[in-house]
Amino acid sequence: MTQNIYDNPEFFQVYSQMRRSVQGLEGAAEWPALRALLPELQGKRILDLGCGFGWFARWAREQGSGPVQAIDISEKMLGRAKEMTADAQIVYERADLEEVELPAAAFDLVFSSLALHYIENLQRLLALVHAALIPGGWFVFSVEHPVYTAPRRQGWVEYEGQQSWVLNSYLAEGMRCTDWLAKGVIKQHRTLATMFNLLLRCGFAVTHVEEWGPGEEQIAATPEMGRERERPMLLLVAARRASIPSALQP
Ligand SMILES: C[S@@+](CC[C@H](N)C(=O)[O-])C[C@H]1O[C@@H](n2cnc3c(N)ncnc32)[C@H](O)[C@@H]1O
């Protein structure tokens, strides 16, 4: 069953104080890299999966996009998103991405920022996203990187005089129970190979992959981000709807 941790009052309170929650896209260190993967948005019909406070939806509209459908499971996240939105072309919908249904060939771009590592049945969702895109349509997303999600207990250790990330259980895919902002936050770990094989099997042509870490300028401005270069925390992907390779068709 879906946890919906963002509706937990304590979790929501802490999440609401994060830089990315207060400042929006500009407060998300990976945003410049993710933005660079997006196509020209003019007139594009967009679907945002796990939209949170709706920062991307509002930004997309400022860039001249067409209508944006923005989906999230959390009432609290959607409530805040609606408060900040005065644009009838952005439609927020409460739905669980594990069970959602999507219209066929209805979107030019499907976007998702940091939501897919909560999804257990990713194959179902990716197949739906493929069908919801027009042929050639774009799918751009970020997730927590598998090196970050893998460990049974996430954390840094001092090793040979430097901060090091403990990587274990990498090939043991499945649920992880983490203490991130609150105790017992459930996420899903899958390997890089699983992620990309799912995309390929569902009929996506992957056009760009980035194992994101902060750049020199970002570290100069915020030195504590330096250790984020010890391992990638985020995976950014751009793909396009292609046809399902005949060898993989059911
Ligand atoms: C880290 S936040 C990211 C929010 C926004 N995309 C951003 O980047 O600012 C993850 C979001 O995914 C949503 N989410 C997690 N699991 C979900 C599910 N099964 N169905 C729909 N939304 C989900 C959460 O409620 C939360 O708003």
Side-chain angles (χ1 to χ4, degrees):
M1 206 180 98
T2 301
Q3 183 184 38
N4 188 13
I5 191 72
Y6 288 74
D7 272 349
N8 171 304
E10 291 79 38
F11 181 98
F12 182 75
Q13 215 237 340
V14 185
Y15 184 81
S16 298
Q17 289 164 8
M18 288 179 75
R19 214 161 77 97
R20 64 178 59 232
S21 302
V22 177
Q23 296 176 9
L25 300 174
E26 299 307 325
E30 79 284 8
W31 169 240
L34 192 57
R35 185 182 53 206
L37 303 188
L38 293 167
E40 157 68 44
L41 293 188
Q42 190 67 39
K44 294 225 167 30
R45 296 159 298 168
I46 298 176
L47 173 65
D48 183 357
L49 301 175
C51 63
F53 290 145
W55 293 107
F56 176 76
R58 292 186 295 277
W59 177 84
R61 291 284 300 149
E62 283 164 22
Q63 310 311 303
S65 83
V68 183
Q69 185 176 346
I71 297 178
D72 205 284
I73 194 172
S74 162
E75 266 181 2
K76 288 184 183 297
M77 298 297 281
L78 289 173
R80 188 72 65 82
K82 286 176 188 167
E83 278 168 22
M84 290 191 278
T85 304
D87 181 344
Q89 291 297 303
I90 299 176
V91 175
Y92 293 105
E93 180 190 341
R94 185 169 189 222
D96 182 352
L97 296 176
E98 301 279 6
E99 295 170 359
V100 72
E101 295 296 337
L102 300 173
F107 301 100
D108 305 291
L109 166 68
V110 176
F111 176 83
S112 182
S113 163
L114 298 180
L116 299 184
H117 48 263
Y118 293 103
I119 305 305
E120 189 177 354
N121 193 347
L122 190 60
Q123 179 161 347
R124 175 187 184 274
L125 183 59
L126 293 184
L128 279 178
V129 168
H130 184 271
L133 283 167
I134 59 159
W138 292 86
F139 181 31
V140 176
F141 66 90
S142 63
V143 279
E144 290 183 355
H145 193 285
V147 166
Y148 181 74
T149 55
R152 295 284 173 194
R153 244 182 107 167
Q154 294 179 326
W156 298 94
V157 293
E158 185 87 4
Y159 179 71
E160 295 191 340
Q162 78 175 74
Q163 289 280 295
S164 306
W165 184 254
V166 177
L167 175 57
N168 56 30
S169 303
Y170 182 81
L171 293 178
E173 298 184 288
M175 192 181 98
R176 294 293 186 273
C177 192
T178 70
D179 294 341
W180 179 69
L181 305 187
K183 285 206 173 300
V185 177
I186 294 173
K187 299 181 183 180
Q188 302 295 328
H189 166 65
R190 44 184 66 86
T191 64
L192 273 183
T194 294
M195 173 62 87
F196 288 103
N197 285 328
L198 283 177
L199 285 164
L200 296 173
R201 286 202 191 103
C202 287
F204 288 100
V206 175
T207 57
H208 189 90
V209 179
E210 187 153 341
E211 298 178 285
W212 183 84
E216 279 174 18
E217 273 181 29
Q218 288 175 313
I219 294 171
T222 318
E224 58 273 23
M225 283 177 88
R227 72 177 180 182
E228 293 298 328
R229 291 204 64 82
E230 290 299 320
R231 52 98 181 92
M233 186 185 180
L234 304 181
L235 177 68
L236 316 185
V237 178
R240 300 190 77 163
R241 175 181 164 159
S243 50
I244 300 177
S246 54
L248 296 175
Q249 269 171 12

